Amino acid sequence: MINKLIANIKKTNAPIVVGLDPMLNYVPEHVQKKAFAEYGETLEGAAEAVWQFNKAIVDATYDLIPAVKPQVAMYEQFGVPGMAAYEKTVSYCQEKGLVVIGDIKRGDIGSTSEAYAVGHLGHVQVGSKSYAGFHEDFATVNPYLGSDGVKPFIKVCKEEKKGIFVLVKTSNPSSGEFQDRIIDGRPLYEWVGEQVAAWGEEHMGDDYSYVGAVVGATYPEMGKVLRKVMPKSYILVPGYGAQGGKGKDLVHFFNEDGLGAIVNSSRGIIAAYKQEKYAEFGTENFADASRAAVKDMVEDISGALAAAK
Amino acid sequence: MINKLIANIKKTNAPIVVGLDPMLNYVPEHVQKKAFAEYGETLEGAAEAVWQFNKAIVDATYDLIPAVKPQVAMYEQFGVPGMAAYEKTVSYCQEKGLVVIGDIKRGDIGSTSEAYAVGHLGHVQVGSKSYAGFHEDFATVNPYLGSDGVKPFIKVCKEEKKGIFVLVKTSNPSSGEFQDRIIDGRPLYEWVGEQVAAWGEEHMGDDYSYVGAVVGATYPEMGKVLRKVMPKSYILVPGYGAQGGKGKDLVHFFNEDGLGAIVNSSRGIIAAYKQEKYAEFGTENFADASRAAVKDMVEDISGALAAAK
């Protein structure tokens, strides 16, 4: 799947991923109204609104992008119907040829981590049959529990040709509280990054490993260091746009081959129609605003990469 | 909810929690067969088997125990139908008067953590209505992302009178890889524990905080230290039984008031019928074996606490 991700990136010439994190207040009122007319102001209604919103954005952008990253929390908040909308979104994006990175940040121990891995990346056995519950292509994984928590994911990835991105240095302001603490002269995130590199070396696609890392766009200096610590790991970079990261900050997340990183934007793309810059599209044409925002983001990042050469 | 948890513990005189982590191979064949006859060998069939298994165990033990801890991964592996079985289990246990600790180990940043908190402990707004998606009473939370990841949970807990248990020192063999690393002379888990204590001080029930901690039974010496670092935090203790912890190892997880800790057992209770010790019950009476195992566990822990006085 890491090979497919890279092929998609090369094909679109866009090292970006669209974060499908549909807060209900991002969903235009006319979309909400239509869903509520059919299902009422219920969890089912909210799930339908979110799904129709996603579908419109995917339809308007899929030819420009290699991948999407639905944030499962935004669906989980709507209970079981929300999880059904999540699964439907994953399926639809895959039908459109997109790689789906499930931003699930799961992590537990032993058989429990394996159950998460099976549910999201693998197949679960039921009697003589087997089923893929949420069937994302990649998942994000929290490393706080150590190897016991991560290895079951890697095992399932190996069997299913899927991949993971392990949280190394997250984009949020307080990520340093624990991640930046110094251990034997180096911050915790470097130790975690080193572990990611070690796991990755044994689990290679053609050029990159299918054990990747998450490093926030908001910490470009740390990204520069981590790029060297994990030369064969793809870096998923959240925090672009709304969280403050800019194209020129991101060049050191990439390797010299122009690969090695994929930059996520969520709000900046899916709620583009709310920005003054894209207001001309109007709420009715929110998906066209998203398409324009994707083009601008690709230009910003490609421009920065070209200028750095 | 921390007050209700403590009231339940006093009423049952049992500082234990039953982990409802139903691997399909724990579910007796006759229960599976019945479910598959109705729903086929499908995700719905697996979810029904798991639900019927849980229901039988809850019916056989609810008068002896204060709380249950369903592990969401075991449900999530069965996709959307699995999540429906999870919600049904939460509801049923609450109807029986049990406190439900959702072992979800979620953790993200800002609005995303808030979405998890809302989905599991709070209410989500849909138009003019509001809904509680999974409505557990407590949730476990991963602290790797720092305060940004934990505070949205605390905010929802405050509004809803719910609680959390933050992962401090997990029970698995490799938990030390990151958690035990030394920072300014003390291990990471102590720094996390100190943060839990600080969050907890501002969010008190009558005697204990509703910000608790997870500390594994498999590390009793660390439990002793952490008990003092977080005097007002309830400690959820996994790793008893199948993972190797014993009653006598656990006395220092408790305060002198005999409170302050609640010990989880999953496999040891729900799959008791598979142990030689409880084989006399037979597979048909698996729930009675669970009841006997609960009584033995309470005796082991209460005996150890009494002996330590």
Side-chain angles (χ1 to χ4, degrees):
Chain A
M1 199 46 76
I2 185 67
N3 295 341
K4 181 176 177 187
L5 177 64
I6 293 171
N8 274 10
I9 291 170
K10 285 179 175 169
K11 192 176 71 187
T12 54
N13 206 11
I16 71 162
V17 51
V18 171
L20 295 174
D21 308 359
M23 299 285 284
L24 208 46
N25 62 11
Y26 296 169
V27 180
E29 210 166 304
H30 69 279
V31 177
Q32 291 194 42
K33 266 195 176 158
K34 201 172 164 218
F36 293 162
E38 196 172 351
Y39 294 93
E41 287 181 344
T42 59
L43 293 177
E44 287 77 11
E48 172 69 10
V50 157
W51 152 245
Q52 292 296 346
F53 178 66
N54 285 346
K55 185 174 176 301
I57 288 169
V58 171
D59 285 344
T61 60
Y62 77 94
D63 59 316
L64 301 177
I65 60 174
V68 291
K69 181 175 77 60
Q71 167 52 259
V72 72
M74 297 304 169
Y75 305 81
E76 215 166 308
Q77 67 181 330
F78 299 116
V80 175
M83 294 306 281
Y86 179 79
E87 192 276 329
K88 210 165 163 180
T89 298
V90 173
S91 288
Y92 189 73
C93 294
Q94 288 169 335
E95 280 168 31
K96 290 285 183 184
L98 296 167
V99 168
V100 178
I101 301 168
D103 197 354
I104 63 173
K105 293 191 179 62
R106 302 299 196 249
D108 208 290
I109 63 178
S111 59
T112 310
S113 249
E114 190 166 342
Y116 279 131
V118 155
H120 287 278
L121 303 172
H123 288 77
V124 69
Q125 198 67 31
V126 180
S128 60
K129 306 258 173 69
S130 82
Y131 296 93
F134 294 106
H135 54 82
E136 301 97 312
D137 300 310
F138 284 83
T140 55
V141 173
N142 187 312
Y144 188 68
L145 295 96
S147 298
D148 298 341
V150 178
K151 283 187 176 163
F153 280 92
I154 297 178
K155 178 176 159 257
V156 171
C157 286
K158 201 169 186 169
E159 290 161 8
E160 304 267 351
K161 297 191 182 302
K162 299 279 179 100
I164 55 172
F165 293 98
V166 179
L167 304 186
V168 173
K169 171 68 188 173
T170 56
S171 61
N172 54 310
S174 80
S175 69
E177 267 177 35
F178 304 124
Q179 296 166 24
D180 293 4
R181 298 301 302 267
I182 301 298
I183 295 162
D184 286 349
R186 293 159 61 205
L188 174 59
Y189 63 76
E190 270 191 52
W191 292 101
V192 178
E194 213 162 77
Q195 193 62 263
V196 167
W199 291 322
E201 266 171 31
E202 295 161 26
H203 300 93
M204 289 292 293
D206 289 342
D207 297 310
Y208 282 89
S209 166
Y210 50 87
V211 181
V214 174
V215 183
T218 42
Y219 299 104
E221 287 306 313
M222 300 175 186
K224 196 172 173 177
V225 173
L226 286 164
R227 176 67 287 165
K228 293 194 176 105
V229 170
M230 315 174 290
K232 294 293 178 194
S233 294
Y234 238 81
I235 303 180
L236 171 64
V237 188
Y240 175 87
Q243 283 183 54
K246 288 193 175 58
K248 66 177 170 45
D249 300 328
L250 300 178
V251 291
H252 299 299
F253 288 81
F254 290 82
N255 278 320
E256 285 178 10
D257 58 6
L259 297 170
I262 185 160
V263 181
N264 179 73
S265 177
S266 302
R267 216 181 327 166
I269 305 288
I270 68 173
Y273 75 96
K274 290 193 166 196
Q275 294 175 44
E276 214 184 302
K277 189 175 173 187
Y278 304 107
E280 57 181 307
F281 288 98
T283 304
E284 281 288 331
N285 304 309
F286 65 96
D288 296 327
S290 295
R291 185 173 175 88
V294 164
K295 285 185 176 171
D296 289 344
M297 181 180 174
V298 173
E299 201 179 292
D300 177 37
I301 293 173
S302 300
L305 285 174
K309 268 198 178 162
Chain B
M1 198 48 73
I2 185 68
N3 295 341
K4 182 176 177 187
L5 177 63
I6 293 170
N8 273 11
I9 292 170
K10 285 180 174 168
K11 191 177 74 188
T12 53
N13 206 11
I16 71 161
V17 51
V18 172
L20 296 175
D21 308 359
M23 300 285 285
L24 208 47
N25 62 10
Y26 296 169
V27 180
E29 209 165 305
H30 68 279
V31 177
Q32 290 194 41
K33 267 196 179 157
K34 202 170 162 219
F36 293 162
E38 197 169 351
Y39 294 92
E41 287 180 344
T42 59
L43 293 176
E44 287 76 10
E48 172 70 10
V50 157
W51 153 245
Q52 292 295 346
F53 178 65
N54 284 347
K55 185 175 177 300
I57 288 170
V58 171
D59 285 344
T61 59
Y62 77 94
D63 59 317
L64 302 177
I65 60 174
V68 291
K69 181 176 77 62
Q71 166 52 260
V72 72
M74 297 304 170
Y75 304 82
E76 215 165 308
Q77 67 182 330
F78 299 117
V80 175
M83 293 305 282
Y86 179 78
E87 193 277 329
K88 209 165 164 180
T89 298
V90 172
S91 289
Y92 190 73
C93 293
Q94 287 169 336
E95 279 168 32
K96 290 284 183 185
L98 295 167
V99 169
V100 178
I101 302 168
D103 198 353
I104 62 173
K105 295 190 178 65
R106 301 299 194 251
D108 207 290
I109 62 175
S111 59
T112 310
S113 250
E114 190 166 341
Y116 279 131
V118 155
H120 286 277
L121 302 172
H123 289 77
V124 69
Q125 199 67 32
V126 180
S128 60
K129 307 258 173 68
S130 83
Y131 297 92
F134 294 105
H135 55 81
E136 302 97 312
D137 300 311
F138 285 83
T140 55
V141 173
N142 186 312
Y144 187 69
L145 294 97
S147 298
D148 299 339
V150 178
K151 283 188 176 164
F153 279 92
I154 297 178
K155 178 177 159 257
V156 171
C157 286
K158 200 168 186 170
E159 291 161 8
E160 304 268 350
K161 296 193 183 299
K162 300 278 178 98
I164 54 173
F165 292 98
V166 179
L167 304 187
V168 173
K169 171 68 188 173
T170 56
S171 61
N172 55 308
S174 80
S175 68
E177 268 176 34
F178 305 124
Q179 297 165 23
D180 293 3
R181 298 301 303 266
I182 302 297
I183 295 164
D184 286 349
R186 294 158 61 205
L188 174 59
Y189 63 78
E190 271 191 50
W191 292 100
V192 178
E194 213 162 77
Q195 193 61 262
V196 167
W199 291 322
E201 266 171 30
E202 295 160 26
H203 299 93
M204 289 291 295
D206 289 343
D207 298 309
Y208 281 90
S209 166
Y210 51 86
V211 181
V214 174
V215 183
T218 41
Y219 299 103
E221 286 306 313
M222 300 176 186
K224 197 171 172 177
V225 172
L226 286 165
R227 176 68 287 165
K228 293 193 175 106
V229 170
M230 315 173 291
K232 293 294 178 194
S233 294
Y234 239 79
I235 302 179
L236 171 64
V237 187
Y240 175 89
Q243 284 182 56
K246 289 191 173 59
K248 66 178 172 43
D249 300 329
L250 300 177
V251 292
H252 298 299
F253 287 82
F254 290 82
N255 278 320
E256 284 178 10
D257 57 5
L259 296 170
I262 185 158
V263 182
N264 179 75
S265 176
S266 302
R267 218 181 324 166
I269 304 289
I270 68 173
Y273 76 97
K274 290 193 165 195
Q275 293 176 43
E276 213 183 303
K277 191 175 173 186
Y278 305 108
E280 57 181 305
F281 288 97
T283 304
E284 282 288 331
N285 305 308
F286 65 95
D288 297 328
S290 295
R291 185 175 175 87
V294 163
K295 285 184 176 170
D296 289 344
M297 180 178 174
V298 173
E299 201 179 292
D300 177 36
I301 293 174
S302 301
L305 284 174
K309 267 197 177 162

